[in-house]
Amino acid sequence: MDVLDLSRWQFGITTVYHFLFVPLTIGLSFVVAGLQTAWHRTDDPGYLRLTRFWGRLFLINFAMGVVTGIVQEFQFGMNWSAYSRFVGDVFGAPLAMEGLIAFFMESTFLGLWIFGWDRLPRRLHLATIWLAATGTAISAYFILAANSWMQHPVGYRLDPVSGRAELTDIWAVLTNSTTLVTFPHVIFGAFVTAGAFVAGISVWRLARGKDVPLFRVSARVAMAISLVAAAGVAFTGHWQAQIMTEQQPMKMAAAEALWEDETSAGFSLFAVGDVERGRNRVNVQIPNGLSLLATDTLDGEVEGINDIQARYQALYGPGDYRPVVGLAYWSFRLMIGFGALAGLLALAGLWLTRRGRLPASPWFTRVAVLGIGLPFLANSLGWIFTEMGRQPWTVFGVMRTAAAVSPGADVPEVALTLVGFTLVYAVLAVVEVRLLLKFVRAGLDSEAGPAEPVPALSY
């Protein structure tokens, strides 16, 4: 492997690992805020106990997300300095806003929430968790605005002297059409993730007969959140597919292994392709499905890989503008499949727990616990598809990935940091799982609730 390959592996590993924590943090912050609101409105101590239980798990996840997220920004200077110099004026603006506005907001109000129990008025303390949750969502928006600029660059100009990209319209960057469709998709995905997490743990506690009434409530609330959010993911995914077809047709063509331009194109369910010859040996399709997904019409035209490749060569010069087709194809399908399974699992859970019932079969407990992983797999595969489908571009149509890597980096340096980060992240994963298991097994606080003013992390 050369420096470029190692740098891509390093960024991919650290990004996917960091993104395990982000959706759960966003979704769980709103779940905790909702439970505390229920306690505030009803004065039912059960909601307080649930708030404190899920609040502890949220804080563990938030802390791990912050630790792993710091590495992301360092990598731009370490392995991708050519990219940083080229687009720093543009890319840095939303990242700076994320740090100065969103992260400041979420960390400040989260601190007030942790140490404000029984020290702040109840209404004011409730406001802190809502503001912290809102900060996590705003943070996601700024990060997605920065990433969307790489997918669809707007609001900039290329300096003819320095050759660098310069920001000309920050509003255009923040209201990029790619951001506007990606943000709700990611947020709905975060709620699916949090819903599956809360539901799986609640069902596991129910199977042990501990605090059955309360965990039944949290299980059903979480399943309802997952089901509604899964529908939201599907709708927003449809809009995102249409924007992708318009802005990055090669990514959509690779996702469908569509080699030639087609009208009334079918949605591929299973394909075996021959990349070298640019055709499929086997392709099982839903008739007109891709045209409907990409253009909202049954007979719409969708561009194919071979035709786009020829067009890009005429536009950008000689080169291979195809991503890894097999990876794009299967990551797209598995993302949809795991997300759909999470929604179906939530629907099954709501049916099994209707009218005061409890899940009677041990198999459902096992499936619900295993189902916690479904949204994480869907989220990770979604990011892999989004980033790999854009190749060979770092900034689509402007800067190729090969030109973005640090010119001074060498193979031993990048290999060493790749191994180092991978090992550190493996240790962090063990710490995260052990902490979560410890607090999940500990269960809820005593029924009486906190007698003395204590921070949320106390146990």
Side-chain angles (χ1 to χ4, degrees):
M1 287 189 181
D2 58 15
V3 171
L4 175 61
D5 291 333
L6 289 171
S7 298
R8 291 181 66 188
W9 271 105
Q10 182 171 313
F11 198 86
I13 290 171
T14 54
T15 300
V16 169
Y17 186 80
H18 174 62
F19 198 59
L20 294 176
F21 302 101
V22 175
L24 182 58
T25 295
I26 295 171
L28 205 51
S29 66
F30 283 95
V31 170
V32 173
L35 289 169
Q36 187 168 341
T37 302
W39 170 59
H40 179 78
R41 293 178 64 87
T42 64
D43 214 23
D44 183 340
Y47 287 119
L48 174 60
R49 297 172 69 199
L50 287 174
T51 301
R52 294 172 65 82
F53 176 77
W54 295 114
R56 291 189 184 106
L57 304 186
F58 159 64
L59 290 173
I60 293 169
N61 195 72
F62 176 84
M64 294 295 287
V66 171
V67 170
T68 56
I70 292 172
V71 177
Q72 298 302 105
E73 301 198 15
F74 277 120
Q75 283 196 78
F76 292 120
M78 292 189 299
N79 294 349
W80 303 98
S81 61
Y83 168 79
S84 298
R85 280 192 293 272
F86 180 66
V87 301
D89 289 353
V90 183
F91 193 75
L95 289 186
M97 290 180 180
E98 191 273 336
L100 294 173
I101 300 172
F103 184 70
F104 178 81
M105 180 178 173
E106 62 181 307
S107 57
T108 299
F109 287 106
L110 193 56
L112 289 172
W113 183 73
I114 293 171
F115 297 104
W117 288 97
D118 296 325
R119 293 183 174 89
L120 294 174
R122 277 178 54 169
R123 188 185 296 271
L124 183 58
H125 186 255
L126 175 63
T128 62
I129 187 63
W130 276 109
L131 288 168
T134 303
T136 65
I138 296 174
S139 177
Y141 188 88
F142 284 125
I143 295 295
L144 290 172
N147 180 269
S148 294
W149 188 83
M150 299 165 71
Q151 310 285 343
H152 180 233
V154 294
Y156 78 103
R157 75 179 185 93
L158 290 177
D159 187 298
V161 177
S162 65
R164 298 173 64 242
E166 294 182 347
L167 182 67
T168 58
D169 188 349
I170 184 62
W171 182 247
V173 173
L174 296 179
T175 59
N176 190 338
S177 57
T178 311
T179 309
L180 297 181
V181 297
T182 304
F183 177 70
H185 191 63
V186 170
I187 294 299
F188 278 123
F191 280 110
V192 175
T193 306
F197 180 80
V198 174
I201 292 174
S202 297
V203 170
W204 185 81
R205 295 292 308 182
L206 286 174
R208 275 143 187 80
K210 302 290 186 182
D211 294 302
V212 169
L214 292 180
F215 278 113
R216 184 178 176 281
V217 168
S218 68
R220 284 186 59 80
V221 168
M223 291 167 184
I225 290 173
S226 267
L227 185 60
V228 173
V233 168
F235 281 115
T236 55
H238 174 61
W239 298 332
Q240 199 174 17
Q242 292 183 324
I243 288 288
M244 180 173 67
T245 304
E246 175 187 330
Q247 297 173 350
Q248 296 184 49
M250 182 65 90
K251 185 187 289 185
M252 173 54 87
E256 285 297 310
L258 182 70
W259 295 98
E260 309 295 340
D261 294 355
E262 283 188 26
T263 56
S264 304
F267 182 88
S268 178
L269 295 176
F270 176 81
V272 178
D274 185 340
V275 176
E276 294 301 320
R277 296 183 179 182
R279 62 183 178 85
N280 293 321
R281 294 195 184 96
V282 178
N283 195 6
V284 180
Q285 296 180 311
I286 300 175
N288 304 97
L290 178 56
S291 288
L292 183 63
L293 174 70
T295 68
D296 264 348
T297 62
L298 292 174
D299 58 353
E301 181 176 3
V302 185
E303 295 178 277
I305 296 170
N306 295 333
D307 295 293
I308 299 170
Q309 167 69 15
R311 184 160 61 84
Y312 281 2
Q313 283 189 328
L315 183 62
Y316 300 117
D320 186 354
Y321 297 93
R322 300 173 301 175
V324 180
V325 177
L327 182 59
Y329 180 87
W330 285 111
S331 59
F332 186 62
R333 248 138 220 86
L334 292 172
M335 171 191 69
I336 295 173
F338 286 131
L341 283 176
L344 291 174
L345 182 59
L347 179 61
L350 285 172
W351 175 259
L352 292 174
T353 57
R354 71 192 188 283
R355 298 174 184 171
R357 299 176 186 177
L358 296 174
S361 302
W363 70 263
F364 182 76
T365 302
R366 290 193 287 271
V367 170
V369 173
L370 292 174
I372 294 174
L374 292 174
F376 289 97
L377 289 169
N379 293 330
S380 298
L381 288 163
W383 265 119
I384 289 171
F385 167 68
T386 300
E387 299 307 302
M388 293 299 293
R390 188 183 62 223
Q391 298 304 317
W393 302 103
T394 295
V395 182
F396 185 79
V398 178
M399 185 182 205
R400 300 191 193 196
T401 305
V405 72
S406 298
D410 57 35
V411 169
E413 289 176 344
V414 182
L416 181 64
T417 54
L418 171 61
V419 173
F421 282 133
T422 303
L423 292 176
V424 169
Y425 279 15
V427 172
L428 289 176
V430 173
V431 172
E432 162 91 359
V433 171
R434 288 177 65 90
L435 280 173
L436 289 176
L437 288 176
K438 175 181 178 180
F439 283 100
V440 168
R441 286 171 176 152
L444 301 178
D445 286 336
S446 64
E447 191 169 350
E452 300 293 334
V454 290
L457 276 176
S458 298
Y459 61 96

